[in-house]
Amino acid sequence: ESARLRPVLAGYPRIIVLDERGEDLTTRQLAQRLEAWMREGGDTAFVIDATRPVLAHARLVRAGRAVHPHIHPRGQLLWAYDGVLRVSSGENAWIVPPTHAVWIPGGTLHNLVTETDAHIRNLHVDPSCFAGLAGLGADECSVRVMTPLMKALVLKLCASDADGPFDARLMRLSAVILD
């Protein structure tokens, strides 16, 4: 794995590998470290689990629920296949219907309010996947159109058993999603 990742991460002054063997950090402690690294400048590459490049999470969130400001080390594609979301980051806010999703780069402080009951489907993309992907690892949040193909891919990944290392089928599914 190291041999595959070294060329992709060449040039990053700081490489952080997050895995179960590392130091235990609370969310607050990780956020403080991220803030400090951002103040220091320079790019930071996060490798969380390249054997599972795209993680999926599905949940129903009731209308009016607020998720307090938080960050993820992985980039996040936030989409509700049913319902309307209000996503905020910095001075920006988006009202997001089921035809669209919001891309939130890793390390970006954001929050979420559900305007209606929402069936949310999140994708969390390992930072090691961004090399060579035009625009996906962008530094700013952006709204993306959810094509019928992308909707089907996200729903398929969310329905898969992805708790362990990905088999060849899930790796191919992740590659198509990232493409």
Side-chain angles (χ1 to χ4, degrees):
E1 185 70 8
S2 176
R4 183 183 71 80
L5 291 175
R6 283 188 198 281
V8 172
L9 302 176
Y12 283 92
R14 184 181 306 108
I15 299 172
I16 310 299
V17 179
L18 303 176
D19 67 15
E20 70 278 357
R21 297 171 300 238
E23 180 181 349
D24 287 334
L25 296 174
T26 65
T27 301
R28 183 177 302 247
Q29 290 169 324
L30 179 58
Q32 289 169 341
R33 288 195 183 178
L34 285 170
E35 288 175 10
W37 293 330
M38 288 169 56
R39 281 192 304 273
E40 290 171 11
D43 291 328
T44 299
F46 283 92
V47 178
I48 298 162
D49 188 352
T51 63
R52 298 183 324 152
V54 181
L55 301 179
H57 177 67
R59 63 186 169 154
L60 169 63
V61 181
R62 296 291 178 197
R65 175 136 192 289
V67 177
H68 296 290
H70 62 286
I71 61 170
H72 308 279
R74 286 178 176 243
Q76 178 184 18
L77 184 72
L78 178 57
W79 172 57
Y81 79 83
D82 184 36
V84 177
L85 308 175
R86 181 171 15 118
V87 180
S88 302
S89 179
E91 296 181 11
N92 300 305
W94 301 272
I95 302 298
V96 189
T99 55
H100 291 74
V102 176
W103 170 253
I104 305 165
T108 302
L109 186 66
H110 63 282
N111 71 302
L112 164 72
V113 176
T114 52
E115 297 293 328
T116 65
D117 286 356
H119 292 90
I120 295 176
R121 301 298 180 260
N122 292 312
L123 297 184
H124 297 275
V125 181
D126 190 275
S128 64
C129 298
F130 297 138
L133 296 177
L136 183 60
D139 293 335
E140 296 180 356
C141 296
S142 59
V143 175
R144 307 289 173 108
V145 172
M146 290 295 287
T147 65
L149 175 61
M150 188 62 168
K151 289 177 183 181
L153 292 168
V154 171
L155 292 173
K156 181 71 173 174
L157 187 59
C158 285
S160 300
D161 178 17
D163 288 335
F166 281 18
D167 60 15
R169 182 185 61 81
L170 287 175
M171 291 299 280
R172 288 189 305 272
L173 181 59
S174 295
V176 173
I177 288 169
L178 292 170
D179 192 34

